[in-house]
Structures are given as C-alpha cells and as structure tokens.
C-alpha cells in the first residue's frame, strides 16, 4: 500500500496510458517494469488509513464517533466544504504540521468513507483523537514548564510599539510571572476598579481567561507544531473583589470605573471582555436592567470618561451542572428559569453563549452529555421571543459534562479547555470551562479580526463576527426537513447565529465576496409644523454586482447575506413605560430592491414599512416581508445588530443591485423638537455574496465594478 497525491495519481495515469499505447526502441511497452509490478489498484479503505491501535478502530459501521483526519495541507478547505455539504460536523480547532493539517470530524464509518470517496482532498491517515486538557493538566509540575517553553519558541508576539489591539479582561485580575502570559501583558497594564484593591489574581479565573485570550485552547496550541502569531496584547482590570461580592446596585458603576481605569492610561483599541453576570435580575425576559443599560451606554460612548464607542464582549451565563439529571439537557438549558443572565441582554454588547466540540473521553469513565458540535450543557439561552434583541449573538467552545451511572452530570478535565493558572511557580496549566471560556475566546477572535482591519469601527468588527457565524450540522439537525421562519426560533435562542470563523471574517474568496460599508445617517428631523419629528434620511447603497457574470450563472443559486450593526443610546425609562421600541435612541433597518421594482417604488415601499413599524403594525401580515429573506423581520429587526440572507437565482440577484438603510422609531425622534439639532448615528453594513463554489471570479469582477463606481462618484463631486 502507498499514498499518492492528486498530482502523483495523474502522473501514474499517464504512465499507464503510455504502457498501453507506446513502445520503447526495443519494442517493449513503455513503463513495463512499473505497471507490470502492480497487482491491483483500489481506493484505500478506512481501516487501511487507520494509524491507531487495531482495537480502537470503530466497530459499528453506523455509530457516530469522532475521527482525527490527517490531510495534505493544501486540501483542507476542500475537505471541509465537502464535509459541510454532507452535513458532517468538523470541529473548529486545527493542528498544523509542516506538510499536513489534522482536523476532527464527527461521523459514522459509512459516512466518513463516502465523504473520502466524494472529495479529491487527500486523506493520508485516520486516528482516534487522543490529547485532552487532562493530559497536560495532569503532567508533573516539573514537566509543565518544558511544554510551555516549547510553545514560546514557536510563538511570535506583536511589538507593543505598533499600537496593537488589547484584550481588556474585566475579571479577577491576572497574576504576573507566568512565562506564557508575560510576553503579552506588561506590569503597568494591570488596573483595578476600586482603590485599595490589588491587581493580582487570587481566585484564578482571570488568569484562566488570559491564557485563552492569548492562545485559545492551550490543548491545541501545545499539540500543534505550527508557528503561532499573536497580533494582540492583554490588559487586566480587576472588577471582582478578592472577598465578598459587588453590591447589585453597583455592578454597572464598577464596570464603568474599571473601563475608565484602563482608558486613562493610554489611548488604544480595546476589546473589553466581561465574563461575570448576575441572576439577581431574573426573570427579565430580555428587558433592560440597570447593568445591561450601563453596558449599552458604555458601548455607545454615552458613559465613561471617554466619549468614543467601545467593543464589549459579555457572557450569557451558566446553567448549574447539578440541574442535568438526564441526557435531555436541551430542555434544562431552554427553560425560562435558565434565561441569559444580565447584562447579557444588552443591545450593543456581543453576548457569547457556549457550544462544545469536547466529546472525546474514555468510554469506561462515562459518556459526554452533549454531542460534538451542539450546545454546551453550561450555556444559558434566550427564553424570550419578542421585540428584545436576539441573544446570544454567537457561541464558542465552552466544554462539556460527563454522564455516568449516577446523575447529575459533572465536569471532567477531559471535557474542559486548557489555559494558564494563577500559580506560575507551581502548576502552570489549569482547566476552564463554561461561558467564561467562550467569552475569552470571543475576545481573542474580536482582537484578531480588528488586527486585520485596524481602521474599522467597533460596530464593524461586531458585524464581521456576526456575519461570519454559521450553525454546525448538529445544530441544524434540530430543524425539520423543510423549515419555515418560525422553526429557526430555538436555534437563535440557543446558538445565536452559530459559530464565528476568523478565516471567513478576514478574507474574500473568488466565489464569496464581502463588502464593508461604514456610513452615518441623520435619522430624524424636527417637524416643520411643530409636531413630532419625522424620518429624515434614507441611505441608498448601489451594490457593485458583476451583473454580466451573475446573468451567466442563470438559475444557479447564490446566497446574499446582509448584516447591519449600529450602537444605540439607551433610555430604559421609555421601555418601563411599555414603549419597548423606544428603548433605543434610533432604529435602523435594511431593505433590498426587488427585481421588478423601480427606484421610486423602492423608496415608497421603504417609507410605508418605516411608518408601519413606528405604529406597531405587523409588517409580515401587511405583505412587507415577502422578499425571500430566510429568517424574516420578527427575528431580524430586533436589537441593534441585524442579519438575514436570501438564496435566489444569480440572474435574479443581478437585478437587485440597490440596498437601503433607513430609520424607524427611536427615542431621539420622540424627544426631538423644532430648533433642536438633529443627531447623527453611525452604522456598519456587511454584505456577502456567495456563489458557493461556482466557477466564476466574483472577487475580481466586483473590484472592477467598485472602481468604476468610485471613479463616477469622484467625477460628480469634482
């Protein structure tokens, strides 16, 4: 048996053809020694690819298990695309080696065999996933520094002089002296919210968050052989006292004081990470509380010593493991008593729930409660379905629980993430789990995205992360075969928009192009008659579609995804009066021109929809949501970040090249009087057109169309 790349197989095919058709000068078939030595050619079977112990090979053909799949480095993306098309889950973490990439796939033997047969990607080996957090956490104390030193040798840290993004951890502090953290955290970048507090981490939670914020899950970082680039740095702000708790009425104030303490030190791009929450406000059903309102004020720049918008990441809160008495953990997480904790319902913050890929454990110990790719049993969900924001925004790894013969389920190191401890002179590694871990990973992801787009607004980074999120195959498995808009409700409440992906957020492929628009709008103007203010502006964005290319694709389906992000200024008094739509200073919506619509008809439809929403009318019942949007206005038009998508024929999309951003009601409008200066709002619009593997270079075509638009605009302005 031997392994051959696609290029090598092509070469072999040519040699066999030459054996059949050509002769040497001596009259013998060419390549006779090679071809005649081959007894039989056949695709490798799964068992022949297996590099683990024989008895570890999955015995049942239809049992779904986790596989470690070794691929040639340049074929990984093709394999992942094929896996997604086959509804097989691929874990987010990767192991990188000089010529190979290792991924983890959840599949049965039969499904994996079919996947390998159906893709040209080169699978060189299969194995059982082995290394877990427990392996490293259980190492003798004297061996742990050796692993850390090896990791540091292949880690490249950014230069503090280059003004990098900082992940600012609002937590229990971070202890200095850890060799894995010191290169990313300067002693002077540790702050406290209250005078008299020390910046050291007594509890260990902040130091655990720090390791994830720098490296991600250390299990993966220690296993891989690849060079690791760290484009961001850390800050630590202690907002949780070493003893006791913050009084409930001071939670917002302590958060604000912590942000002020960091910001007065230096002017930096910061991702504020807040993994603490409270259940004292339960049940809030998505309505604002004092803490969530203060988070909205801080994000919008209306609170704090500085007056600029801020990127804030917060957690959804955790379900106590003791509640998981049976395998039906979704019912526990979805229960009204386990709704997302304050301040996670904040409109402007990125709220992070947890899913898990941690499903590898010795069967003799027990079984993981959640299957790989599904909701983490720790994660609280949004039990509300109303005008309040869609939360969480997305989910990231939060670990799993172990079920054995004696319930309830419980935490096990094999099913946790690995991070840094607060005792660097002793045990250097520690495990961490739940939505705290997911929130730290989200802070890292946000910082890495902002490092790639250093001039973009916080609103844009949020939009890019939300736009990049996708539901995994196990998440989509909760949908019926032909779902309607209402069937997506449980998915939004559990997973938000799914699992975000840095690669997807960072670049455009030839057949999947992302456009980013940052703009401002004056949503309302005073009435000339002295009455209530009126809607003022509609912003029209001509989309640089490659019209001819899309027409060539004809009936082939393409996907249009749109994400709109703005930061509102909150007014909880309006919500308390029952005017829920007036909590936000302004409301923005996006609309796409219909294929058979003139520009004038498009504008008339926008004005009619805005007026209907201001009056509280049901837009779908009025026929205003019939454009083929996948999720619909009930789940799209809530909060301050909106995302939806349309799947349609490419030729149809070619005629829908105009998008509008327009205002609906907000308290700015109700408070604006004649003589007042109208306020301006910022927004970010992220638009993705995905031809899903079509053989057409949309990226180049859109670049050409966009350049022509810019040239025409400059000519008009001159």
């Amino acid at each position: 048996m031997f392994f051959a790349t696609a290029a090598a197989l092509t070469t072999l095919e040519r040699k066999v053809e030459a054996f059949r058709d050509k002769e040497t000068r001596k009259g013998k078939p060419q390549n006779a020694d090679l071809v005649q030595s081959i007894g039989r050619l056949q695709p490798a079977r799964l068992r022949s690819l297996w590099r683990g112990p024989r008895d570890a090979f999955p015995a049942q053909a239809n049992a779904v298990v986790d596989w470690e799949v070794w691929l040639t480095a340049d074929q990984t993306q093709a394999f992942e695309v094929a896996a997604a098309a086959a509804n097989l889950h691929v874990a987010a973490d990767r192991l990188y080696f000089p010529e190979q990439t290792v991924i983890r796939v959840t599949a049965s033997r039969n499904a994996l065999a079919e996947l390998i047969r159906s893709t040209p990607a080169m699978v060189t080996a299969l194995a059982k996933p082995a290394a877990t957090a427990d392996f490293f956490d259980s190492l003798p104390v004297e061996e742990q520094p050796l692993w850390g030193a090896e990791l540091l040798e292949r880690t490249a840290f950014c230069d503090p002089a280059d003004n990098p993004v900082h992940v600012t951890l609002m937590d229990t502090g971070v202890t200095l002296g850890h060799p894995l953290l010191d290169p990313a955290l300067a002693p002077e970048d540790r702050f406290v919210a209250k005078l008299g507090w020390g910046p050291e981490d007594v509890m260990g939670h902040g130091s655990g968050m720090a390791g994830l914020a720098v490296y991600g899950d250390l299990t993966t970082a220690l296993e891989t052989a690849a060079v690791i680039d760290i484009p961001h740095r850390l800050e630590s702000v202690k907002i949780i006292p070493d003893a006791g708790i913050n009084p409930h009425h001071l939670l917002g104030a302590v958060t604000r004081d912590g942000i002020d303490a960091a910001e007065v030190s230096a002017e930096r791009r910061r991702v504020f990470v807040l993994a603490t929450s409270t259940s004292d406000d339960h049940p809030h059903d998505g309505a604002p509380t004092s803490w969530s309102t203060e988070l909205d004020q801080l994000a919008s720049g209306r609170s704090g010593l500085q007056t600029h918008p801020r990127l804030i990441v917060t957690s959804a809160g955790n379900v106590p493991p003791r509640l998981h008495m049976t395998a039906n953990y979704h019912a526990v997480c979805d229960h009204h008593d386990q709704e997302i904790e304050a301040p996670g319902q904040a409109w402007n913050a990125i709220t992070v729930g947890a899913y898990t890929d941690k499903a590898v454990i010795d069967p003799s110990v027990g079984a993981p409660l959640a299957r790989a790719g599904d909701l983490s049993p720790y994660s609280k969900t949004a039990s509300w379905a109303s005008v309040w924001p869609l939360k969480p925004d997305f989910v990231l790894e939060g670990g799993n629980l172990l079920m054995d013969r004696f319930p309830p389920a419980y935490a096990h190191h094999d099913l946790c993430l690995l991070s840094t401890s607060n005792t660097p002179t002793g045990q250097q590694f520690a495990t961490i789990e739940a939505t705290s871990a997911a929130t730290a990973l989200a802070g890292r992801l946000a910082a890495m995205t902002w490092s790639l787009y250093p001039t973009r607004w916080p609103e844009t980074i949020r939009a890019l992360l939300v736009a990049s999120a996708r539901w995994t195959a196990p998440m989509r498995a909760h949908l019926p075969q032909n779902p309607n808009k209402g069937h997506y409700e449980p998915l939004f409440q559990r997973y938000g928009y799914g699992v975000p992906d840095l690669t997807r957020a960072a670049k455009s492929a030839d057949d999947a192009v992302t456009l980013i628009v940052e703009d401002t709008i004056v949503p309302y103007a005073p009435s000339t008659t002295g009455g209530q203010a009126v809607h003022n502006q509609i912003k029209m964005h001509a989309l640089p579609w490659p019209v001819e290319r899309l027409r060539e694709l004809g009936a082939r389906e393409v996907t249009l995804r749109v994400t709109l992000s703005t930061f509102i200024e909150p007014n909880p008094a309006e919500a308390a009066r029952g005017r829920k739509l007036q909590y936000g200073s302004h409301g923005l919506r996006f609309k796409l021109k219909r294929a058979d619509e003139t520009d004038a008809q498009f504008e008339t439809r926008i004005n009619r929809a805005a007026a209907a929403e201001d009056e509280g009318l049901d837009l779908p019942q009025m026929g205003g949501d019939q454009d083929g949007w996948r999720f619909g206005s009930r789940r799209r038009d809530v909060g301050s970040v909106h995302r939806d998508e349309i799947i349609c024929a490419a030729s149809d999309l070619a005629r829908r090249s105009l998008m509008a951003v327009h205002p609906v009601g907000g308290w700015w409008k109700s408070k604006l009087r004649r003589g007042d200066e109208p306020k301006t709002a910022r927004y970010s619009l992220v638009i993705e057109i995905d031809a899903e593997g079509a053989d057409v270079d949309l990226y180049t075509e859109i670049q050409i169309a966009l350049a022509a638009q810019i040239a025409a605009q400059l000519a008009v302005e001159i």
Side-chain angles (χ1 to χ4, degrees):
M1 183 181 69
F2 66 92
F3 297 105
T5 64
L9 288 175
T10 301
T11 301
L12 177 61
E13 184 179 2
R14 286 200 301 266
K15 288 183 178 294
V16 172
E17 289 174 350
F19 171 79
R20 180 192 65 193
D21 302 331
K22 298 179 181 180
E23 293 183 348
T24 66
R25 282 179 290 183
K26 295 182 179 180
K28 293 183 177 181
Q30 286 191 11
N31 307 314
D33 291 342
L34 170 66
V35 176
Q36 291 175 349
S37 68
I38 299 174
R40 182 176 57 178
L41 286 176
Q42 65 179 33
R45 296 180 178 179
L46 292 190
R47 192 178 290 276
S48 63
L49 294 170
W50 186 254
R51 63 165 52 178
R54 281 184 173 274
D55 58 359
F57 186 79
Q60 299 179 12
N62 291 313
V64 176
V65 296
D66 287 322
W67 302 78
E68 193 175 82
V69 180
W70 293 63
L71 296 153
T72 52
D74 60 342
Q75 294 295 312
T76 305
Q77 184 176 0
F79 189 86
E80 291 176 354
V81 170
N87 285 322
L88 299 181
H89 175 60
V90 178
D93 287 332
R94 305 284 182 274
L95 296 177
Y96 298 102
F97 299 105
E99 295 183 352
Q100 293 181 310
T101 300
V102 182
I103 65 175
R104 185 150 53 86
V105 179
T106 303
S108 67
R109 265 175 38 194
N110 288 344
L112 183 61
E114 179 59 32
L115 174 62
I116 292 174
R117 282 194 295 266
S118 67
T119 176
M122 192 64 222
V123 176
T124 62
L126 299 172
K128 179 181 179 180
T132 64
D134 188 54
F135 170 81
F136 297 104
D137 189 48
S138 300
L139 286 171
V141 171
E142 61 272 15
E143 289 187 24
Q144 293 189 10
L146 301 178
W147 284 88
E150 189 278 332
L151 174 58
L152 286 174
E153 286 180 0
R154 53 184 170 82
T155 301
F157 294 91
C158 62
D159 188 340
D162 292 337
N163 192 28
V165 182
H166 283 65
V167 177
T168 306
L169 299 172
M170 314 281 288
D171 213 273
T172 62
V174 176
T175 298
L176 289 180
H178 200 298
L180 293 177
L181 297 180
D182 285 352
L185 176 64
E188 62 271 18
D189 287 341
R190 298 189 305 159
F191 313 99
V192 294
K194 297 296 180 184
L195 293 176
W197 290 1
E200 290 76 22
D201 180 16
V202 174
M203 301 181 186
H205 191 268
S207 297
M209 296 279 289
L212 296 185
V214 176
Y215 300 97
D217 187 354
L218 273 176
T219 306
T220 303
L222 292 168
E223 270 195 294
T224 187
V227 173
I228 296 176
D229 290 311
I230 311 294
H232 55 282
R233 292 184 59 79
L234 286 180
E235 286 182 331
S236 169
V237 181
K238 178 178 279 191
I239 65 166
I240 300 173
D242 295 339
I245 60 173
N246 292 312
H248 180 273
H249 68 283
L250 293 181
L251 291 172
V254 168
T255 304
R256 181 194 63 229
D257 292 344
I259 287 177
D260 286 343
E263 290 187 335
V264 297
S265 68
E267 184 176 338
R268 292 169 174 166
R269 288 173 294 148
R270 291 179 169 89
V271 180
F272 292 98
V273 175
L274 180 70
T276 183
S277 59
T278 181
S279 59
D280 289 349
D281 293 313
H282 176 82
H284 53 71
D285 291 319
T289 61
S290 61
W291 197 4
S292 73
T293 301
E294 181 60 20
L295 227 58
D296 282 331
Q297 288 198 138
L298 289 163
S300 67
R302 294 298 298 172
S303 184
L305 297 177
Q306 306 292 333
T307 59
H308 55 76
R310 300 175 177 92
L311 188 59
I312 300 176
V313 180
T314 191
S315 68
N318 300 324
V319 176
R322 59 179 170 77
L323 296 181
H324 293 296
M325 303 296 292
T326 69
N328 187 21
Y329 77 97
H330 287 96
V332 177
C333 295
D334 291 344
H335 196 275
H336 185 257
D337 287 341
Q338 301 305 322
E339 70 176 10
I340 287 175
E341 293 183 346
Q345 76 273 42
W347 287 35
N348 296 334
I350 297 173
T351 303
V352 185
Y355 89 116
T356 187
D357 279 327
K358 303 288 185 180
V360 178
I361 196 163
D362 186 343
S364 65
V365 177
L369 181 57
R371 63 180 294 196
D374 208 342
L375 184 72
S376 167
Y378 290 104
S379 192
K380 291 195 169 185
T381 64
S383 58
W384 61 85
S386 64
V387 298
W388 299 121
L390 188 159
K391 295 290 179 176
D393 293 280
F394 52 73
V395 292
L396 283 166
E397 179 64 67
N400 208 340
L401 290 173
L402 182 70
M403 283 290 289
D404 62 15
R405 294 172 297 169
F406 306 104
Y410 61 93
H412 191 283
H413 285 188
D414 276 346
L415 303 176
C416 296
L417 293 82
L418 187 72
S419 190
T420 46
S421 76
N422 66 330
T423 57
T425 57
Q427 188 85 3
Q428 292 199 356
F429 301 137
T431 57
I432 186 171
E433 65 285 319
T435 56
S436 291
T439 305
L441 294 176
R444 174 177 180 263
L445 187 63
M448 295 174 76
T449 304
W450 212 349
S451 298
L452 295 168
Y453 299 99
T455 63
R456 295 300 185 182
W457 297 341
E459 298 96 320
T460 304
I461 303 305
R462 175 175 70 156
L464 286 168
L465 293 174
V466 169
S468 76
R470 301 287 187 273
W471 292 318
T472 65
M475 295 174 189
R476 295 193 305 271
H478 295 288
L479 292 170
Q481 187 171 3
N482 296 302
N484 59 38
K485 290 179 172 62
H487 289 134
Y488 292 105
E489 193 75 41
L491 271 65
F492 284 130
Q493 292 173 335
R494 292 173 186 167
Y495 319 110
Y497 288 104
V499 183
D501 181 82
L502 178 64
T503 302
R504 198 179 291 122
K507 67 179 182 180
S508 293
D510 290 345
D511 60 353
V513 184
T514 301
L515 305 172
I516 302 173
V517 176
E518 293 179 333
D519 205 347
T520 60
I521 188 171
V522 180
Y524 317 115
S527 171
T528 57
T529 62
Q532 189 180 50
V534 297
H535 294 158
N536 181 48
Q537 276 187 316
I538 298 174
K539 284 297 183 81
M540 296 288 188
H541 298 284
L543 304 177
W545 288 164
V547 174
E548 293 304 319
R549 292 293 189 190
L550 290 173
R551 285 174 177 167
E552 289 175 7
L553 291 175
R556 184 183 181 114
E557 287 189 339
V558 294
T559 301
L560 174 72
R561 296 184 183 91
V562 182
T563 306
L564 174 64
S565 173
T566 185
F567 287 168
I568 55 94
E569 295 179 13
N571 185 352
E574 293 295 328
R577 297 187 185 107
R579 303 172 64 184
K580 297 179 180 179
L581 293 176
Q582 299 295 312
Y583 171 76
S585 52
H586 60 284
L588 300 181
R589 305 287 185 264
F590 62 80
K591 296 287 187 298
L592 181 67
K593 181 173 175 275
R594 293 170 179 164
D596 58 351
E597 204 169 31
T598 67
D599 291 359
Q601 290 171 332
F602 183 35
E603 187 169 347
T604 299
R605 176 164 63 91
I606 292 169
N607 288 325
R608 186 166 59 246
E613 185 159 345
D614 281 0
E615 295 171 12
L617 301 178
D618 194 315
L619 189 62
Q621 290 186 7
M622 296 179 61
D625 196 39
Q626 305 302 315
D627 288 340
W629 293 106
R630 184 180 185 188
F631 305 133
S633 60
R634 289 184 184 276
R635 287 291 81 195
R636 178 182 67 240
D637 296 340
V638 291
S640 61
V641 60
H642 312 143
R643 186 187 126 181
D644 212 334
E645 54 194 58
I646 287 176
I647 301 175
C648 64
S651 56
D652 182 48
L653 187 61
R655 297 185 293 163
R656 308 183 71 175
S657 58
L658 190 63
M659 180 161 288
V661 174
H662 68 89
V664 295
W667 67 262
W668 278 356
K669 181 184 177 187
S670 62
K671 304 296 183 185
L672 188 61
R673 296 292 180 265
R674 187 158 40 173
D676 293 344
E677 183 68 25
K679 294 188 177 182
T680 300
R682 303 197 317 185
Y683 68 87
S684 298
L685 193 63
V686 174
I687 305 165
E688 178 188 352
I689 176 174
D690 187 352
E692 300 176 351
D695 186 18
V696 56
D697 187 355
L698 296 179
Y699 184 80
T700 301
E701 295 289 335
I702 287 180
Q703 275 190 316
I704 295 171
L706 188 59
Q709 279 189 10
I710 294 172
Q713 184 178 358
L714 290 174
V716 171
E717 290 176 352
I718 292 172

